[in-house]
């Protein structure tokens, strides 16, 4: 599965001060133009930061494929 990171969005941290971790919530959007997939954990590979797993959910159609989103709280 080929996907391209197309959007990064930061969100305000509305948690109580004692629960904040110092990292603001954010989301990542990936374009996956050649396939429609279900929500699941995907293994991502990046030339600089290596290989890691992240839960991605489809949320919009994109031609014959879809856009996938990961949300980090």
């Amino acid at each position: 599965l080929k996907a391209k990171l197309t959007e990064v969005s930061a969100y305000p941290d509305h948690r109580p001060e004692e629960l904040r971790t110092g990292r603001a919530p954010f989301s990542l959007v990936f374009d996956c133009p050649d396939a429609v997939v279900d929500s699941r954990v995907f293994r991502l590979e990046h030339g600089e930061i290596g290989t890691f797993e992240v839960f991605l959910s489809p949320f919009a159609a994109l031609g014959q494929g879809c856009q996938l989103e990961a949300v980090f709280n």
Side-chain angles (χ1 to χ4, degrees), residues 9-59:
S9 299
Y11 301 103
D13 193 344
H14 296 291
R15 294 175 289 189
E17 188 66 37
E18 64 272 10
L19 297 178
R20 293 184 185 182
T21 62
R23 179 183 50 82
F26 66 98
S27 68
L28 305 175
V29 174
F30 296 88
D31 285 357
C32 183
D34 301 323
V36 175
V37 297
D38 292 327
S39 297
R40 65 181 174 92
V41 175
F42 288 86
R43 178 172 292 205
L44 303 181
E45 297 178 9
H46 187 276
E48 293 181 29
I49 60 177
T51 301
F52 54 95
E53 293 183 339
V54 64
F55 185 81
L56 297 172
S57 294
F59 76 98

Side-chain angles (χ1 to χ4, degrees), residues 4-8 27-31 59 67-70:
K4 180 179 180 180
L5 178 64
T6 57
E7 183 179 326
V8 177
S27 68
L28 305 175
V29 174
F30 296 88
D31 285 357
F59 76 98
Q67 286 187 304
L68 302 169
E69 182 180 42

